[in-house]
Amino acid sequence: MMAISTHVLDAALGRPAAGVRVHLEHLVEAVWTQVAEGVTDEDGRLKDLPVAEGTHRLVFHTGAYLAATGRPVFYPEVVVTFLVADTEAHHHVPLLLSPFAYSTYRGS
């Protein structure tokens, strides 16, 4: 098994999003199973989540983070689904977040 990492950046404030709860799920035989959970550190990072070959999704619990910063919550969670085909490659899935928009990409 390899590992995946993520990084949540608060694009509206121009800083890392610390304290965002994230959980990782794996799809096996049409059933999503949670395999890991954590909270982003002071740099907005969460590392070493276990990932096997197949379809996964990261669920970012963004509502609590946005509410704690006194901003409106339009997206209470962000779900990013991705496919791991190469178990030897590093997988990094960043999230750029603001109260009314988000984006993601495959990082390095």
XYZ file of all heavy atoms in Angstrom:
829
model
N 0.828 -1.181 0.000
C 0.000 0.000 0.000
C 0.872 1.244 0.000
O 1.894 1.289 0.645
C -0.885 -0.007 1.238
C -2.295 0.424 0.948
S -3.278 0.506 2.444
C -4.448 -0.767 2.054
N 0.454 2.249 -0.737
C 1.171 3.523 -0.786
C 0.440 4.559 0.055
O -0.525 4.219 0.733
C 1.279 3.982 -2.227
C -0.065 4.063 -2.912
S 0.051 4.625 -4.573
C -0.590 6.249 -4.379
N 0.878 5.800 -0.017
C 0.234 6.855 0.772
C -0.183 8.006 -0.126
O 0.361 8.203 -1.209
C 1.182 7.352 1.856
N -1.151 8.750 0.349
C -1.613 9.955 -0.338
C -1.518 11.113 0.637
O -1.569 10.928 1.851
C -3.052 9.780 -0.849
C -3.454 10.976 -1.691
C -4.035 9.566 0.272
C -4.694 10.754 -2.494
N -1.383 12.306 0.079
C -1.361 13.499 0.909
C -2.311 14.533 0.321
O -2.689 14.457 -0.845
C 0.059 14.069 1.002
O 0.544 14.395 -0.288
N -2.694 15.488 1.153
C -3.530 16.586 0.702
C -3.079 17.864 1.383
O -2.356 17.829 2.385
C -5.033 16.304 0.959
O -5.804 17.316 0.309
C -5.358 16.240 2.430
N -3.489 18.972 0.805
C -3.120 20.289 1.317
C -4.320 21.191 1.058
O -4.748 21.326 -0.093
C -1.888 20.791 0.573
C -1.278 22.025 1.131
N -0.332 22.749 0.438
C -1.453 22.684 2.297
C 0.045 23.786 1.161
N -0.618 23.766 2.293
N -4.882 21.778 2.091
C -6.029 22.668 1.927
C -5.542 24.100 2.099
O -4.967 24.450 3.129
C -7.154 22.352 2.936
C -8.366 23.256 2.661
C -7.554 20.880 2.853
N -5.771 24.896 1.070
C -5.380 26.303 1.087
C -6.625 27.167 1.055
O -7.512 26.959 0.228
C -4.490 26.625 -0.113
C -3.167 25.872 -0.151
C -2.492 26.048 -1.491
C -2.272 26.343 0.975
N -6.698 28.126 1.951
C -7.802 29.063 1.985
C -7.467 30.190 1.016
O -6.710 31.107 1.340
C -8.006 29.596 3.410
C -9.261 30.412 3.560
O -9.605 31.151 2.608
O -9.893 30.318 4.629
N -8.023 30.109 -0.186
C -7.691 31.070 -1.240
C -8.196 32.476 -0.916
O -7.582 33.465 -1.314
C -8.253 30.596 -2.572
N -9.295 32.579 -0.196
C -9.853 33.886 0.141
C -8.992 34.627 1.162
O -8.875 35.853 1.109
C -11.272 33.733 0.666
N -8.393 33.892 2.082
C -7.556 34.515 3.110
C -6.068 34.474 2.766
O -5.257 35.111 3.440
C -7.784 33.834 4.467
C -9.191 33.949 5.046
C -9.273 33.212 6.384
C -9.611 35.403 5.201
N -5.710 33.687 1.750
C -4.310 33.600 1.342
C -3.429 32.883 2.335
O -2.276 33.241 2.534
N -3.976 31.818 2.970
C -3.175 31.061 3.945
C -3.660 29.612 3.999
O -4.746 29.296 3.528
C -3.247 31.714 5.315
C -4.629 31.707 5.919
C -4.609 32.362 7.301
N -5.904 32.219 7.931
C -6.506 33.159 8.618
N -5.920 34.326 8.782
N -7.685 32.949 9.160
N -2.873 28.749 4.625
C -3.309 27.358 4.777
C -4.571 27.262 5.628
O -4.792 28.084 6.523
C -2.134 26.686 5.501
C -0.971 27.577 5.262
C -1.524 28.964 5.154
N -5.377 26.259 5.360
C -6.602 26.021 6.125
C -6.310 24.956 7.177
O -6.364 23.754 6.899
C -7.736 25.586 5.203
N -5.981 25.390 8.365
C -5.689 24.475 9.473
C -6.985 24.034 10.130
O -7.941 24.812 10.227
C -4.788 25.155 10.490
N -7.021 22.782 10.563
C -8.160 22.291 11.321
C -9.324 21.774 10.496
O -10.424 21.623 11.013
N -9.100 21.489 9.221
C -10.159 20.930 8.377
C -10.159 19.410 8.535
O -9.132 18.761 8.319
C -9.962 21.297 6.887
C -11.032 20.640 6.017
C -9.958 22.807 6.698
N -11.300 18.858 8.932
C -11.415 17.400 9.042
C -11.561 16.821 7.651
O -12.315 17.327 6.815
C -12.610 17.019 9.908
C -12.666 15.525 10.223
C -13.674 15.210 11.316
N -15.043 15.510 10.940
C -15.875 14.628 10.381
N -15.485 13.397 10.139
N -17.105 14.990 10.085
N -10.819 15.746 7.395
C -10.808 15.082 6.088
C -10.909 13.589 6.327
O -10.262 13.065 7.242
C -9.491 15.376 5.325
C -9.479 14.695 3.963
C -9.257 16.874 5.190
N -11.706 12.917 5.528
C -11.643 11.459 5.585
C -11.517 10.886 4.184
O -11.918 11.499 3.202
C -12.778 10.841 6.413
C -14.129 10.837 5.796
N -15.067 11.802 6.040
C -14.704 9.950 4.964
C -16.169 11.520 5.382
N -15.984 10.410 4.711
N -10.885 9.729 4.124
C -10.597 9.031 2.878
C -11.450 7.779 2.804
O -11.535 7.024 3.777
C -9.114 8.649 2.825
C -8.675 7.796 1.638
C -8.749 8.586 0.338
C -7.260 7.278 1.862
N -12.073 7.579 1.653
C -12.887 6.387 1.421
C -12.372 5.643 0.199
O -11.809 6.250 -0.718
C -14.356 6.778 1.205
C -14.973 7.449 2.406
C -16.403 7.896 2.159
O -16.836 7.981 0.992
O -17.106 8.169 3.148
N -12.581 4.332 0.187
C -12.177 3.458 -0.913
C -13.422 2.737 -1.412
O -14.213 2.248 -0.606
C -11.128 2.460 -0.420
C -10.529 1.620 -1.497
N -10.089 0.340 -1.245
C -10.308 1.835 -2.810
C -9.607 -0.179 -2.359
N -9.736 0.709 -3.319
N -13.580 2.673 -2.730
C -14.728 2.002 -3.335
C -14.363 0.552 -3.643
O -13.453 0.285 -4.424
C -15.148 2.715 -4.619
C -16.368 2.167 -5.344
C -17.620 2.301 -4.485
C -16.555 2.892 -6.678
N -15.084 -0.376 -3.019
C -14.873 -1.800 -3.261
C -16.235 -2.447 -3.478
O -17.097 -2.364 -2.598
C -14.141 -2.483 -2.078
C -13.973 -3.976 -2.334
C -12.793 -1.823 -1.832
N -16.418 -3.038 -4.637
C -17.668 -3.718 -4.981
C -18.876 -2.818 -4.730
O -19.855 -3.213 -4.084
C -17.784 -5.036 -4.237
C -16.681 -6.020 -4.608
C -16.793 -7.352 -3.888
O -17.847 -7.637 -3.284
O -15.805 -8.101 -3.948
N -18.825 -1.600 -5.249
C -19.910 -0.611 -5.206
C -20.237 -0.112 -3.799
O -21.297 0.467 -3.582
C -21.168 -1.161 -5.879
N -19.332 -0.289 -2.834
C -19.548 0.179 -1.466
C -18.362 1.059 -1.049
O -17.208 0.633 -1.125
C -19.690 -1.001 -0.479
C -19.810 -0.502 0.953
C -20.872 -1.876 -0.854
N -18.668 2.283 -0.605
C -17.634 3.179 -0.083
C -17.341 2.814 1.368
O -18.258 2.725 2.176
C -18.082 4.638 -0.139
C -18.127 5.197 -1.520
C -19.246 5.428 -2.266
C -17.021 5.594 -2.319
N -18.895 5.950 -3.486
C -17.528 6.067 -3.541
C -15.636 5.595 -2.119
C -16.711 6.540 -4.560
C -14.826 6.064 -3.135
C -15.355 6.529 -4.341
N -16.051 2.625 1.666
C -15.621 2.290 3.020
C -14.587 3.314 3.472
O -13.605 3.563 2.772
C -14.999 0.883 3.069
O -15.956 -0.055 2.598
C -14.566 0.520 4.469
N -14.791 3.899 4.646
C -13.813 4.840 5.172
C -12.570 4.084 5.609
O -12.664 3.111 6.353
C -14.394 5.625 6.344
C -13.430 6.676 6.866
C -14.045 7.570 7.917
O -15.201 7.940 7.819
N -13.248 7.923 8.909
N -11.405 4.548 5.142
C -10.146 3.877 5.483
C -9.223 4.739 6.339
O -8.286 4.222 6.939
C -9.399 3.388 4.222
C -10.195 2.315 3.510
C -9.079 4.530 3.272
N -9.487 6.046 6.394
C -8.637 6.922 7.195
C -9.357 8.237 7.445
O -10.276 8.604 6.703
C -7.308 7.183 6.499
N -8.917 8.929 8.496
C -9.477 10.237 8.822
C -8.409 11.044 9.535
O -7.545 10.491 10.218
C -10.700 10.083 9.727
C -11.358 11.386 10.067
C -12.654 11.208 10.843
O -12.872 10.134 11.425
O -13.437 12.161 10.866
N -8.458 12.339 9.360
C -7.506 13.199 10.040
C -7.934 14.643 9.957
O -8.990 14.967 9.397
N -7.099 15.528 10.500
C -7.347 16.961 10.514
C -6.106 17.645 9.969
O -4.980 17.287 10.345
C -7.658 17.440 11.949
C -7.829 18.943 11.992
C -8.891 16.747 12.496
N -6.299 18.649 9.121
C -5.145 19.343 8.559
C -4.365 20.060 9.660
O -4.939 20.597 10.601
C -5.567 20.359 7.472
O -6.487 21.298 8.016
C -6.187 19.652 6.276
N -3.039 20.041 9.501
C -2.159 20.668 10.488
C -2.102 22.182 10.273
O -2.847 22.736 9.446
C -0.774 20.020 10.460
C -0.030 20.213 9.137
O -0.428 21.080 8.319
O 0.955 19.488 8.910
N -1.215 22.870 10.984
C -1.113 24.330 10.888
C -0.740 24.811 9.493
O -1.018 25.950 9.134
C -0.108 24.854 11.915
C -0.602 24.735 13.337
C 0.374 25.300 14.343
O 1.299 26.053 13.955
O 0.213 24.998 15.535
N -0.124 23.927 8.707
C 0.235 24.265 7.325
C -0.852 23.809 6.349
O -0.652 23.852 5.143
C 1.587 23.635 6.978
C 2.185 24.216 5.717
O 1.967 25.419 5.431
O 2.849 23.463 4.971
N -1.996 23.336 6.868
C -3.094 22.891 6.021
C -2.880 21.530 5.389
O -3.584 21.155 4.465
N -1.913 20.773 5.912
C -1.550 19.494 5.294
C -2.021 18.290 6.114
O -2.103 18.341 7.332
C -0.037 19.405 5.119
C 0.509 20.436 4.164
C 2.017 20.321 3.985
N 2.519 21.377 3.145
C 2.573 21.344 1.820
N 2.137 20.274 1.176
N 3.049 22.361 1.139
N -2.274 17.228 5.377
C -2.570 15.923 5.958
C -1.812 14.918 5.115
O -1.987 14.863 3.896
C -4.079 15.654 5.933
C -4.572 14.384 6.611
C -4.173 14.339 8.080
C -6.083 14.282 6.477
N -0.943 14.145 5.755
C -0.041 13.249 5.031
C -0.281 11.803 5.410
O -0.919 11.495 6.412
C 1.413 13.609 5.360
C 1.786 15.026 5.051
C 3.193 15.326 5.533
C 3.528 16.784 5.354
N 4.838 17.116 5.886
N 0.285 10.924 4.593
C 0.366 9.492 4.880
C -0.985 8.798 5.043
O -1.142 7.934 5.903
C 1.259 9.227 6.103
C 2.664 9.745 5.890
O 3.155 9.658 4.753
O 3.274 10.224 6.858
N -1.968 9.186 4.221
C -3.226 8.452 4.197
C -3.039 7.214 3.327
O -2.494 7.303 2.232
C -4.344 9.336 3.634
C -4.656 10.592 4.430
C -5.574 11.508 3.638
C -5.284 10.226 5.762
N -3.468 6.043 3.789
C -3.225 4.815 3.029
C -4.124 4.713 1.805
O -5.318 4.991 1.869
C -3.563 3.719 4.033
C -4.569 4.340 4.937
C -4.191 5.790 5.031
N -3.523 4.339 0.686
C -4.281 4.210 -0.558
C -3.814 2.975 -1.310
O -2.628 2.743 -1.459
C -4.098 5.453 -1.455
C -4.809 5.270 -2.781
C -4.628 6.679 -0.762
N -4.764 2.188 -1.771
C -4.478 1.027 -2.613
C -4.943 1.352 -4.034
O -5.535 2.398 -4.284
C -5.214 -0.194 -2.073
N -4.727 0.458 -4.948
C -5.194 0.636 -6.315
C -6.723 0.696 -6.326
O -7.390 0.000 -5.572
C -4.714 -0.532 -7.174
C -5.002 -0.354 -8.648
C -4.380 -1.448 -9.486
O -3.303 -1.954 -9.117
O -4.984 -1.796 -10.507
N -7.271 1.561 -7.158
C -8.716 1.642 -7.299
C -9.251 3.053 -7.129
O -8.512 4.032 -7.161
N -10.553 3.155 -6.936
C -11.241 4.434 -6.828
C -11.344 4.851 -5.363
O -11.696 4.055 -4.505
C -12.652 4.335 -7.441
O -12.527 3.891 -8.799
C -13.361 5.670 -7.414
N -11.037 6.120 -5.119
C -11.040 6.687 -3.773
C -11.738 8.030 -3.803
O -11.902 8.636 -4.861
C -9.604 6.910 -3.271
C -8.795 5.673 -3.255
N -8.735 4.844 -2.163
C -8.022 5.103 -4.196
C -7.943 3.814 -2.436
N -7.505 3.955 -3.668
N -12.100 8.510 -2.626
C -12.562 9.882 -2.525
C -12.117 10.470 -1.190
O -12.085 9.791 -0.166
C -14.066 10.004 -2.714
C -14.933 9.356 -1.687
C -16.399 9.486 -2.085
N -17.269 8.809 -1.139
C -18.545 8.570 -1.364
N -19.097 8.944 -2.501
N -19.273 7.958 -0.467
N -11.734 11.733 -1.272
C -11.424 12.522 -0.089
C -12.644 13.387 0.192
O -13.162 14.063 -0.710
C -10.207 13.420 -0.326
C -8.851 12.738 -0.296
C -7.781 13.664 -0.855
C -8.495 12.308 1.117
N -13.112 13.358 1.429
C -14.242 14.180 1.842
C -13.689 15.241 2.792
O -13.187 14.919 3.877
C -15.339 13.335 2.526
C -16.495 14.222 2.951
C -15.810 12.216 1.597
N -13.764 16.484 2.352
C -13.288 17.615 3.135
C -14.495 18.232 3.830
O -15.439 18.680 3.171
C -12.629 18.663 2.230
C -11.425 18.168 1.489
C -11.559 17.541 0.261
C -10.155 18.341 2.018
C -10.443 17.098 -0.446
C -9.032 17.902 1.329
C -9.177 17.276 0.097
N -14.478 18.283 5.150
C -15.584 18.842 5.929
C -15.335 20.351 6.083
O -14.837 20.813 7.114
C -15.701 18.108 7.263
C -15.960 16.653 7.069
N -17.224 16.138 6.940
C -15.110 15.605 6.909
C -17.161 14.829 6.739
N -15.881 14.489 6.722
N -15.690 21.086 5.051
C -15.346 22.502 4.936
C -16.291 23.422 5.703
O -15.909 24.539 6.056
C -15.323 22.914 3.460
O -16.576 22.530 2.858
C -14.198 22.211 2.719
N -17.516 22.977 5.962
C -18.500 23.824 6.629
C -18.060 24.286 8.002
O -18.180 25.477 8.336
N -17.567 23.373 8.805
C -17.130 23.729 10.161
C -15.954 24.703 10.114
O -15.886 25.646 10.912
C -16.757 22.473 10.947
N -15.032 24.485 9.168
C -13.880 25.385 9.035
C -14.347 26.792 8.672
O -13.945 27.776 9.297
C -12.898 24.861 7.987
C -11.865 25.886 7.598
C -10.776 26.155 8.422
C -11.997 26.630 6.422
C -9.848 27.132 8.088
C -11.086 27.600 6.076
C -10.002 27.850 6.915
O -9.095 28.821 6.583
N -15.194 26.910 7.653
C -15.662 28.225 7.215
C -16.465 28.926 8.312
O -16.285 30.123 8.552
C -16.484 28.095 5.934
C -15.682 27.714 4.690
C -16.614 27.305 3.558
C -14.757 28.847 4.263
N -17.337 28.184 8.976
C -18.141 28.764 10.060
C -17.247 29.280 11.187
O -17.500 30.346 11.756
C -19.140 27.745 10.588
N -16.189 28.537 11.500
C -15.275 28.935 12.569
C -14.522 30.218 12.232
O -14.072 30.933 13.135
C -14.289 27.811 12.868
N -14.395 30.517 10.944
C -13.708 31.746 10.535
C -14.712 32.880 10.295
O -14.332 33.932 9.792
C -12.862 31.515 9.257
O -13.720 31.116 8.185
C -11.780 30.476 9.497
N -15.988 32.641 10.639
C -16.997 33.685 10.550
C -17.497 33.977 9.148
O -18.035 35.064 8.902
N -17.311 33.022 8.244
C -17.740 33.249 6.865
C -18.933 32.367 6.512
O -19.193 31.361 7.172
C -16.575 32.996 5.914
C -15.492 34.066 6.117
C -14.307 33.853 5.254
N -13.567 32.696 5.755
C -12.638 32.064 5.056
N -12.352 32.445 3.836
N -11.993 31.049 5.558
N -19.669 32.744 5.469
C -20.828 31.942 5.080
C -20.419 30.550 4.612
O -19.320 30.357 4.097
C -21.458 32.733 3.932
C -20.460 33.743 3.508
C -19.461 33.896 4.613
N -21.320 29.601 4.828
C -21.081 28.221 4.395
C -22.018 27.913 3.240
O -23.221 27.797 3.426
C -21.309 27.218 5.548
C -21.137 25.800 5.059
C -20.358 27.514 6.691
N -21.466 27.816 2.043
C -22.238 27.407 0.874
C -21.950 25.946 0.547
O -22.836 25.200 0.162
C -21.912 28.308 -0.322
C -22.770 28.030 -1.517
C -24.108 28.392 -1.524
C -22.249 27.406 -2.635
C -24.918 28.137 -2.622
C -23.038 27.143 -3.733
C -24.381 27.511 -3.727
N -20.691 25.548 0.697
C -20.270 24.156 0.494
C -19.918 23.555 1.849
O -18.812 23.735 2.346
C -19.044 24.070 -0.425
C -19.297 24.556 -1.834
C -18.747 25.749 -2.289
C -20.090 23.812 -2.700
C -18.981 26.187 -3.575
C -20.323 24.252 -3.987
C -19.765 25.442 -4.424
O -19.998 25.875 -5.697
N -20.845 22.828 2.500
C -20.538 22.245 3.802
C -19.513 21.120 3.727
O -18.852 20.814 4.713
C -21.883 21.733 4.299
C -22.717 21.589 3.085
C -22.216 22.581 2.082
N -19.390 20.523 2.550
C -18.321 19.547 2.331
C -17.952 19.559 0.861
O -18.739 19.940 0.004
C -18.713 18.140 2.789
C -19.761 17.461 1.969
C -20.059 16.045 2.457
O -19.817 15.722 3.626
O -20.544 15.259 1.634
N -16.722 19.148 0.607
C -16.214 19.003 -0.754
C -15.747 17.564 -0.890
O -14.974 17.082 -0.055
C -15.049 19.979 -1.034
C -14.428 19.694 -2.389
C -15.526 21.423 -0.929
N -16.225 16.895 -1.936
C -15.847 15.506 -2.176
C -15.054 15.451 -3.480
O -15.531 15.900 -4.522
C -17.086 14.593 -2.271
C -16.672 13.157 -2.539
C -17.920 14.693 -1.001
N -13.841 14.901 -3.405
C -12.985 14.756 -4.578
C -12.760 13.265 -4.805
O -12.164 12.585 -3.965
C -11.637 15.483 -4.388
C -10.752 15.287 -5.608
C -11.862 16.958 -4.090
N -13.261 12.778 -5.932
C -13.134 11.361 -6.280
C -12.020 11.214 -7.305
O -11.934 12.005 -8.250
C -14.464 10.837 -6.854
O -15.507 11.099 -5.910
C -14.401 9.343 -7.131
N -11.169 10.205 -7.127
C -10.030 10.025 -8.020
C -9.690 8.543 -8.136
O -10.081 7.736 -7.297
C -8.811 10.829 -7.528
C -8.393 10.507 -6.131
C -7.366 9.610 -5.887
C -9.036 11.094 -5.044
C -6.984 9.298 -4.592
C -8.657 10.794 -3.751
C -7.636 9.899 -3.521
N -8.947 8.221 -9.170
C -8.566 6.841 -9.467
C -7.066 6.664 -9.302
O -6.284 7.435 -9.862
C -8.967 6.482 -10.899
C -8.641 5.079 -11.368
C -9.431 4.052 -10.564
C -8.950 4.940 -12.844
N -6.672 5.672 -8.535
C -5.262 5.323 -8.368
C -4.984 4.117 -9.246
O -5.502 3.026 -8.999
C -4.924 5.004 -6.897
C -3.502 4.478 -6.781
C -5.128 6.226 -6.033
N -4.212 4.326 -10.303
C -3.855 3.235 -11.209
C -2.405 2.798 -11.002
O -2.087 1.626 -11.148
C -4.070 3.663 -12.663
N -1.551 3.750 -10.650
C -0.127 3.472 -10.467
C 0.199 3.523 -8.978
O 0.341 4.605 -8.402
C 0.698 4.492 -11.239
C 2.193 4.278 -11.124
O 2.622 3.321 -10.431
O 2.945 5.074 -11.710
N 0.319 2.393 -8.360
C 0.564 2.350 -6.907
C 1.997 2.716 -6.536
O 2.300 2.841 -5.357
C 0.227 0.957 -6.339
O 1.026 -0.024 -7.000
C -1.250 0.643 -6.518
N 2.848 2.908 -7.523
C 4.225 3.329 -7.254
C 4.365 4.849 -7.270
O 5.355 5.377 -6.787
C 5.176 2.709 -8.283
C 5.206 1.187 -8.249
C 5.672 0.642 -6.898
O 6.657 1.171 -6.343
O 5.044 -0.300 -6.403
N 3.372 5.552 -7.825
C 3.436 7.011 -7.932
C 2.904 7.668 -6.664
O 2.007 7.139 -6.007
C 2.628 7.473 -9.136
N 3.469 8.834 -6.340
C 2.962 9.622 -5.219
C 1.676 10.318 -5.659
O 1.598 10.836 -6.769
C 3.991 10.665 -4.793
C 3.483 11.590 -3.733
N 3.286 11.183 -2.435
C 3.127 12.892 -3.781
C 2.825 12.197 -1.724
N 2.723 13.248 -2.529
N 0.671 10.331 -4.809
C -0.588 11.007 -5.109
C -0.812 12.109 -4.084
O -0.883 11.847 -2.887
C -1.747 10.012 -5.093
C -1.721 9.076 -6.238
N -0.866 8.001 -6.306
C -2.434 9.063 -7.381
C -1.061 7.358 -7.435
N -2.004 7.979 -8.108
N -0.907 13.323 -4.598
C -1.144 14.498 -3.761
C -2.346 15.227 -4.347
O -2.351 15.557 -5.537
C 0.091 15.400 -3.755
C -0.052 16.617 -2.901
N -0.167 16.550 -1.529
C -0.105 17.935 -3.226
C -0.269 17.784 -1.040
N -0.252 18.630 -2.046
N -3.389 15.429 -3.526
C -4.633 16.036 -4.000
C -4.911 17.298 -3.183
O -5.514 17.228 -2.116
C -5.807 15.035 -3.894
C -7.082 15.657 -4.437
C -5.487 13.732 -4.615
N -4.463 18.463 -3.667
C -4.702 19.713 -2.956
C -6.122 20.226 -3.187
O -6.757 19.929 -4.194
C -3.698 20.686 -3.577
C -2.761 19.839 -4.366
C -3.534 18.629 -4.757
N -6.593 21.043 -2.249
C -7.886 21.706 -2.369
C -7.681 23.199 -2.125
O -7.121 23.586 -1.104
C -8.874 21.151 -1.334
C -10.251 21.801 -1.318
C -11.027 21.475 -2.591
C -11.034 21.360 -0.084
N -8.101 24.008 -3.087
C -8.097 25.462 -2.933
C -9.522 25.859 -2.599
O -10.446 25.583 -3.365
C -7.637 26.145 -4.225
C -6.269 25.710 -4.756
C -5.986 26.381 -6.093
C -5.186 26.014 -3.758
N -9.712 26.510 -1.464
C -11.042 26.739 -0.917
C -11.328 28.214 -0.681
O -10.459 28.963 -0.254
C -11.142 25.991 0.424
C -12.427 26.115 1.221
C -13.593 25.481 0.474
C -12.241 25.473 2.590
N -12.556 28.611 -0.977
C -13.086 29.910 -0.574
C -14.562 29.692 -0.253
O -15.101 28.623 -0.537
C -12.877 30.963 -1.667
O -13.717 30.724 -2.763
N -15.245 30.671 0.339
C -16.634 30.429 0.742
C -17.578 30.039 -0.403
O -18.518 29.284 -0.192
C -17.061 31.758 1.370
C -15.795 32.341 1.879
C -14.757 31.954 0.852
N -17.329 30.527 -1.622
C -18.257 30.264 -2.717
C -17.617 29.573 -3.914
O -18.204 29.542 -4.998
C -18.927 31.565 -3.154
C -19.744 32.179 -2.051
C -19.287 33.302 -1.383
C -20.943 31.616 -1.664
C -20.032 33.864 -0.352
C -21.689 32.164 -0.633
C -21.228 33.290 0.023
N -16.434 29.010 -3.727
C -15.763 28.311 -4.825
C -14.697 27.381 -4.261
O -14.201 27.584 -3.153
C -15.121 29.310 -5.790
N -14.360 26.375 -5.053
C -13.222 25.523 -4.722
C -12.669 24.933 -6.014
O -13.356 24.880 -7.036
C -13.576 24.415 -3.734
C -14.567 23.377 -4.229
C -14.141 22.259 -4.946
C -15.929 23.529 -3.991
C -15.047 21.318 -5.383
C -16.838 22.581 -4.420
C -16.383 21.485 -5.130
O -17.292 20.559 -5.576
N -11.417 24.501 -5.964
C -10.809 23.802 -7.095
C -9.786 22.810 -6.553
O -9.356 22.897 -5.401
C -10.152 24.781 -8.078
O -9.062 25.438 -7.470
N -9.449 21.867 -7.388
C -8.485 20.836 -7.012
C -7.689 20.444 -8.244
O -8.065 20.773 -9.381
C -9.206 19.625 -6.387
O -8.223 18.696 -5.920
C -10.144 18.950 -7.365
N -6.592 19.755 -8.034
C -5.752 19.277 -9.116
C -4.877 18.169 -8.584
O -4.800 17.955 -7.374
C -4.899 20.432 -9.700
C -4.006 21.097 -8.674
C -2.683 20.694 -8.510
C -4.495 22.119 -7.857
C -1.865 21.291 -7.560
C -3.687 22.723 -6.909
C -2.372 22.309 -6.770
O -1.574 22.893 -5.828
N -4.213 17.460 -9.473
C -3.254 16.455 -9.017
C -1.920 17.159 -8.802
O -1.300 17.652 -9.732
C -3.096 15.334 -10.031
C -2.059 14.340 -9.511
C -2.041 13.053 -10.221
N -1.011 12.208 -9.612
C -0.638 11.054 -10.099
N -1.220 10.595 -11.190
N 0.288 10.365 -9.498
N -1.500 17.189 -7.572
C -0.253 17.847 -7.229
C 0.931 16.903 -7.293
O 0.800 15.739 -7.681
N 2.067 17.418 -6.875
C 3.279 16.588 -6.885
C 3.890 16.537 -5.498
O 3.513 17.231 -4.604
C 4.283 17.149 -7.865
O 4.595 18.488 -7.551
